[in-house]
Amino acid sequence: MSTIVVNGTRVRQFLAMRECIDAMERALRALTRGHAVVPLRPVVHVPGETGGALAAMPAYLGDPKSLGVKAISVFPGNEGTAHDSHQGAVLFFDPDHGALVAIMDAGAITAVRTAAVSGVATRLLANADASDLALLGAGVQAHSHLEAMRAVRPVRRVRVWSRTSARAAEFARRYYASDCSVTAVASAQEAVEGADLVCTVTSSREPVLMGDWLAPGAHLNVVGASVAAAREVDTTAVLRSACFVDRRESALREAGDLVIPMREGAITESHIRGELGEILDGTGQGRLTPQEITLFKSVGLAVEDLGAADIVYRRAREDPDVPRIDLR
Ligand code: NDP
């Protein structure tokens, strides 16, 4: 039995954003319905200065039937070096016999599926005419989030802020000749004020977004911090928002954006209105009024990786140019 090896370039070629958004809907609905097995992820924090961590994310997903594990390292200090901040592999198994049928680049899968999940949240929660987008962060996720936001809403204006102003300027330059005008701005506040859609996609451990800046009716995708001790948005942002998550159990353990306000006593668990899967399933409520601010806190789930990996695997299997290896 051979194992297909799919590198990052091919993952991107096989995994179109719109198709991935639909796949994320299926995966999140299956999760809410109990058609998935997803243990909380163990994380090894590497001692020393790097701030590096290694996470193992196994799962079984019932729709489409799939089994696998993502092993991914996150080294935030890698920015600006030859190494990506997210590196690893998705090991994809035959769910009937347990054979390892594919190995795929996890960085590319993560880049697309994370933004696709924010695409699902935005499709469910943002006002239909939301067109003014703020991006806080200018890295891998900022690019894929711009693509996802444009897939689900009529985005017309984009402001990008990044800690290093040259990085924001470089981001804006990449879209200069495209049909999407992106302006680099000097402060996060300038980006956020007046925006209908806000994506926070930084590696910051402290808030980069203050709730006082938010316009009524805004929708936020809060993506960056995935550990309980770090957050990208302040307590006011959470208090002003109706909050949604990918999975309650994971968010209550891993989402500092929610866990820290809970520890402060500012909110309780009931401040989380629902999981995306509950809205998709018709058992949960989304936005209640056009003026309401909605906040989706993403921590990232292994079922999302499996839903994306299934698309990649089906394409790769049909492509004779994709390499095969025999591990035995
Ligand atoms: P990149 O390394 O490509 O980009 C990181 C961005 O964060 C850059 O814009 C960088 O700014 C900014 N940044 C780094 N440190 C700080 C800081 N202390 N304060 C403010 N900004 C900072 O990372 P990715 O785009 O791949 O990932 C972005 C975040 O999303 C990470 O935290 C990552 O762990 C998280 N993530 C979450 C997932 C989920 O499922 N929820 C999945 C994948 C990633 P500059 O370069 O200008 O200095």
Side-chain angles (χ1 to χ4, degrees):
M1 178 92 194
S2 64
T3 303
I4 295 174
V5 181
V6 194
N7 66 19
T9 305
R10 284 202 168 90
V11 167
R12 285 171 191 282
Q13 186 188 324
F14 295 145
L15 192 58
M17 182 59 75
R18 284 173 195 275
E19 189 178 2
C20 192
I21 291 172
D22 293 340
M24 295 305 96
E25 282 198 358
R26 281 194 297 281
L28 292 166
R29 198 182 288 117
L31 178 69
T32 286
R33 288 181 178 171
H35 299 161
V37 183
V38 201
L40 290 169
R41 59 186 158 202
V43 180
V44 173
H45 295 279
V46 180
E49 301 297 297
T50 61
L54 177 68
M57 299 171 65
Y60 168 82
L61 178 61
D63 175 23
K65 195 170 160 187
S66 40
L67 176 70
V69 56
K70 179 166 83 171
I72 190 151
S73 67
V74 182
F75 279 66
N78 282 355
E79 285 169 65
T81 72
H83 305 282
D84 293 334
S85 54
H86 292 71
Q87 301 169 85
V90 174
L91 306 183
F92 200 61
F93 292 85
D94 168 358
D96 295 318
H97 304 286
L100 176 63
V101 292
I103 302 174
M104 304 170 194
D105 177 58
I109 298 248
T110 305
V112 181
R113 70 74 155 141
T114 306
V117 171
S118 295
V120 172
T122 305
R123 193 146 78 178
L124 290 172
L125 296 168
N127 282 315
D129 59 353
S131 61
D132 190 303
L133 168 66
L135 295 170
L136 303 189
V140 171
Q141 287 295 337
H143 286 286
S144 54
H145 273 73
L146 176 54
E147 188 184 354
M149 295 304 102
R150 293 185 72 198
V152 297
R153 284 296 179 268
V155 173
R156 278 188 282 278
R157 275 185 303 157
V158 185
R159 289 178 299 288
V160 61
W161 167 83
S162 198
R163 176 183 59 171
T164 310
S165 56
R167 190 118 191 246
E170 175 55 29
F171 184 98
R173 241 191 319 275
R174 287 256 307 255
Y175 296 91
Y176 177 68
S178 76
D179 58 345
C180 176
S181 153
V182 179
T183 308
V185 294
S187 71
Q189 183 170 359
E190 199 181 331
V192 170
E193 278 178 350
D196 314 310
L197 300 171
V198 181
C199 300
T200 64
V201 281
T202 75
S203 306
S204 181
R205 298 181 65 83
E206 307 294 334
V208 291
L209 183 151
M210 305 301 153
D212 289 337
W213 305 340
L214 294 168
H219 169 72
L220 283 69
N221 297 304
V222 177
V223 175
S226 308
V227 291
R231 61 174 168 170
E232 289 183 291
V233 305
D234 72 352
T235 299
T236 305
V238 173
L239 278 171
R240 288 190 67 197
S241 304
C243 293
F244 301 84
V245 295
D246 34 16
R247 186 167 71 146
R248 270 198 190 77
E249 192 184 359
S250 302
L252 290 172
R253 196 177 81 147
E254 298 169 1
D257 290 288
L258 300 173
V259 169
I260 295 170
M262 273 179 212
R263 279 204 213 110
E264 290 172 344
I267 59 165
T268 62
E269 283 182 27
S270 65
H271 194 73
I272 300 176
R273 188 178 291 171
E275 297 181 349
L276 297 184
E278 292 165 354
I279 309 175
L280 289 163
D281 205 29
T283 55
Q285 272 193 315
R287 167 181 291 278
L288 298 180
T289 70
Q291 277 71 41
E292 190 168 53
I293 297 171
T294 51
L295 184 158
F296 166 57
K297 176 57 204 163
S298 159
V299 291
L301 303 172
V303 286
E304 298 161 2
D305 297 304
L306 285 190
D310 178 70
I311 296 173
V312 173
Y313 175 60
R314 282 188 282 111
R315 295 268 147 65
R317 214 174 35 183
E318 305 304 318
D319 188 333
D321 292 336
V322 176
R324 272 82 172 154
I325 56 171
D326 192 339
L327 284 167
R328 283 176 303 180

